[in-house]
Amino acid sequence: AILLLLKIIKVEQVEPICILLMEKLSLFFVPVTVSSITLLELLKKEALPLLATIFVSTAIIIVVTGLFLQFLLKLKGVKKDA
């Protein structure tokens, strides 16, 4: 992403592979689904720690993404409305 922002790599260079990956994205979830089914008892036993980890990590990702976006907007000189 940084190389795209800095225009070192052009969108046209990565667009074909991005389209291919988006078309095949569902295939990446097959191993996770199969593993989840085979380990269902373990997942039930560890549900609370897993859910807590998912919620906390999601919140951290949202905050870091927001802060990084603000940094990029300041770097580019975009001003806030109101």
Side-chain angles (χ1 to χ4, degrees):
I2 293 173
L3 295 176
L4 286 170
L5 286 172
L6 296 174
K7 306 220 189 278
I8 294 171
I9 294 178
K10 295 183 186 339
V11 173
E12 295 80 24
Q13 292 174 299
V14 295
E15 191 172 27
I17 192 68
C18 290
I19 291 170
L20 176 70
L21 288 173
M22 291 299 291
E23 289 172 352
K24 308 295 183 208
L25 190 62
S26 62
L27 294 176
F28 296 123
F29 293 100
V30 172
V32 173
T33 305
V34 171
S35 296
S36 299
I37 292 170
T38 60
L39 299 172
L40 197 55
E41 286 303 314
L42 179 61
L43 289 174
K44 286 180 184 177
K45 191 172 110 176
E46 300 294 334
L48 188 60
L50 283 171
L51 289 174
T53 302
I54 289 169
F55 284 121
V56 170
S57 63
T58 300
I60 291 170
I61 289 170
I62 290 170
V63 169
V64 169
T65 301
L67 292 172
F68 187 65
L69 180 60
Q70 286 179 346
F71 168 76
L72 290 176
L73 291 174
K74 281 183 187 177
L75 192 67
K76 203 165 185 181
V78 176
K79 297 187 182 203
K80 288 184 182 179
D81 295 331

